Amino acid sequence: MSQSRRVLVVGGGGREHALAWKLARDGAEVLVAPGNAGTALVAENVAVAADDIPALVALARGRSVDLTVVGPEAPLVAGIVDAFTAAGLRIFGPTAAAAQLEGSKIFCKQILHRGDVPTAMYREFRSAAAARTYLESREEAPVVIKADGLAAGKGVFVCDDRAAAVAALATLASDPQFAAAAGGIRVEERLDGVEVSVMAITDGRTIVTLPALQDHKAAHDGDSGPNTGGMGAYCPTPFVDEALMAEIEARILVPTVHAMRRAKVPFHGVLYAGLMLTAQGPKVLEFNARFGDPECEALLVRLDSSLLELLDAATDRRLDSIAPPVWRDGASVTVVMAAEGYPGPVEKGRPIRGLDAAATIDGVTVFHAATRRDGEAVVTSGGRVLAVTAVAESLARAKLLAYTGVRPIRWPGGWCRKDIADKGLSREWELLAVEPATTGDGA
Ligand code: AMP
Ligand code: GLY
């Protein structure tokens, strides 16, 4: 009998539930730190926080874990990979220096520049007043105003004209919630087009590109309302065809991996490119150093081959020696169910009903993003609570199935966007809309 592998997943959200779910299907014995009520169904939860690096090292040692996979960016930026490697433990992810690609906007722009990777032009200013003087001295154009050092799209103002930009600068200068960030202001060229997410697994040399997805960052239907961590995703997105994917690899992913290596900060792990598909081609909005959430959930339900083998090969720097991953035909859709008030403050501890009914629907998997067990009940424990995911033979069917999964689930104040995947469905129609065949000779 072959002994099963022991894998530790660090984190406690929907992405980590999907990772644990898939690794368990691949035959691994999975530990999750700290996990949630959902990960407990497929793995063993261990009560260690995702940012307690010494305790995680001790856990991996004590339980003879032979591969650790890190979900969120915070422990990566804090050096979890460096600490594990120093302790002689195998871990999948970038070092703290390489995770700066996500953690530091300045480092990211340096790498983009070095690799000659297409991105938005920008200027940086020390004060709102200096940024305003600049805006008034140049020709009017749509811009994005960004306050430095704020996460999750807070302090990002996408502006149509100079008046809107000047108003955004006034908000940054006067609103106390931006006080800390108002000293570093970036005026960026506004990129217009469709936003997509492309992730690649890399060992620092070879890249394995994963199917493209589309996230839904705005809180409400029709991409309205405040920016969030992501309200839903679908995979693959018809906005990226084979030719465009080849261009994204050649102009963005490969040059970035090479630029990192030349800068002596080789990148290992998941390179996540947030892209705008502009009339001039794909351009980078941001890089992340990890799997996207909820992208990871929509992605992994379509992965038929072993994730464990892929992560093993990347960790051992032999990605060039393995067969490409096998993806299930059709499409997947993930709908995030959120607590009342999200992305602002939310009340926790609300009991969730209907999870069992949703779980019985063929093709539906309910990943838990912020839940915990309270006696017999599963209760909410954060803003993005569940990531209801469906896989089917078509995008239309996957959407229908995902919302069929949402339907029986209830808690006071729970809500979701109703239009996840609609942009992809419209695009499919657009691509199908062929000219009627001409008859006769036209005479
Ligand atoms: P960020 O926090 O920088 O990732 O920005 C949050 C969101 O703002 C992105 O997901 C985009 O939708 C939008 N955004 C950021 N930068 C730009 C840009 N240069 N042009 C257009 N939209 C942008
Ligand atoms: N869904 C976007 C992210 O994970 O950053």
Side-chain angles (χ1 to χ4, degrees), residues 120 144 146 153 156 188-191 195 217 276 285-286:
V144 181
K146 293 184 179 181
V156 175
E188 211 168 89
E189 165 201 13
R190 191 184 81 190
L191 301 177
E195 245 182 288
K217 290 222 170 92
M276 189 72 89
L285 286 171
E286 61 163 353

Side-chain angles (χ1 to χ4, degrees), residues 194 196-197 211-214 234-241 395 424 427:
V194 172
V196 298
S197 309
L213 299 101
Q214 196 167 40
Y234 67 91
C235 176
T237 175
F239 287 102
V240 181
D241 61 14
L395 188 56
R427 177 66 178 166

Side-chain angles (χ1 to χ4, degrees), residues 15 215 217 229-230 272 286 288 290-295 384:
R15 166 183 47 210
D215 188 12
K217 290 222 170 92
Y272 168 130
E286 61 163 353
N288 294 320
R290 49 166 177 84
F291 284 109
D293 190 353
E295 287 94 329
R384 289 194 294 175

Side-chain angles (χ1 to χ4, degrees), residues 102-422:
E102 172 166 0
S104 156
K105 281 204 174 15
I106 294 170
F107 179 80
C108 177
K109 286 287 172 177
Q110 283 168 352
I111 292 295
L112 288 168
H113 184 71
R114 252 184 124 121
D116 199 19
V117 175
T119 185
M121 288 185 298
Y122 70 99
R123 292 277 302 261
E124 272 167 356
F125 300 92
R126 292 248 173 98
S127 70
R132 181 176 173 156
T133 305
Y134 165 74
L135 280 176
E136 283 169 348
S137 72
R138 71 195 276 274
E139 221 175 291
E140 183 154 353
V143 293
V144 181
I145 305 288
K146 293 184 179 181
D148 230 24
L150 290 172
K154 224 172 135 202
V156 175
F157 301 84
V158 180
C159 308
D160 286 334
D161 52 25
R162 186 186 287 145
V166 167
L169 289 169
T171 304
L172 283 181
S174 62
D175 190 328
Q177 67 165 323
F178 299 123
I185 288 174
R186 175 197 285 259
V187 178
E188 211 168 89
E189 165 201 13
R190 191 184 81 190
L191 301 177
D192 291 314
V194 172
E195 245 182 288
V196 298
S197 309
V198 176
M199 295 181 273
I201 291 181
T202 177
D203 59 6
R205 280 180 186 279
T206 305
I207 67 165
V208 173
T209 309
L210 311 175
L213 299 101
Q214 196 167 40
D215 188 12
H216 297 66
K217 290 222 170 92
H220 304 303
D221 288 16
D223 291 338
S224 63
N227 212 63
T228 71
M231 295 302 299
Y234 67 91
C235 176
T237 175
F239 287 102
V240 181
D241 61 14
E242 231 172 274
L244 180 55
M245 191 57 117
E247 186 183 348
I248 290 167
E249 286 179 352
R251 294 186 59 198
I252 292 167
L253 299 172
V254 170
T256 301
V257 168
H258 284 170
M260 293 291 283
R261 206 170 66 228
R262 282 203 309 277
K264 304 272 184 293
V265 274
F267 189 94
H268 312 118
V270 178
L271 176 62
Y272 168 130
L275 303 175
M276 189 72 89
L277 305 179
T278 75
Q280 291 78 43
K283 294 190 181 185
V284 173
L285 286 171
E286 61 163 353
F287 278 125
N288 294 320
R290 49 166 177 84
F291 284 109
D293 190 353
E295 287 94 329
C296 187
E297 293 92 308
L299 190 74
L300 291 184
V301 291
R302 292 195 55 231
L303 179 57
D304 271 344
S305 54
S306 170
L307 175 67
L308 183 56
E309 258 174 38
L310 194 58
L311 301 184
D312 268 336
T315 306
D316 299 338
R317 318 279 189 258
R318 52 175 178 78
L319 267 184
D320 58 350
S321 73
I322 63 158
V326 179
W327 302 97
R328 187 177 155 150
D329 285 342
S332 57
V333 172
T334 296
V335 176
V336 170
M337 297 185 72
E340 188 174 2
Y342 178 77
V346 298
E347 280 212 11
K348 303 173 184 174
R350 299 273 166 93
I352 306 170
R353 290 187 295 136
L355 287 167
D356 291 340
T360 60
I361 303 167
D362 202 28
V364 172
T365 309
V366 179
F367 294 117
H368 292 215
T371 65
R372 64 181 175 78
R373 197 162 268 287
D374 185 2
E376 283 300 293
V378 172
V379 303
T380 67
S381 67
R384 289 194 294 175
V385 175
L386 301 170
V388 181
T389 301
V391 63
E393 66 280 6
S394 69
L395 188 56
R397 177 89 190 126
K399 179 189 170 188
L400 190 73
L401 207 52
Y403 283 102
T404 306
V406 164
R407 184 171 240 175
I409 302 176
R410 294 255 143 80
W411 73 88
W415 60 279
C416 66
R417 270 182 70 158
K418 305 288 190 293
D419 64 345
I420 302 303
D422 281 0

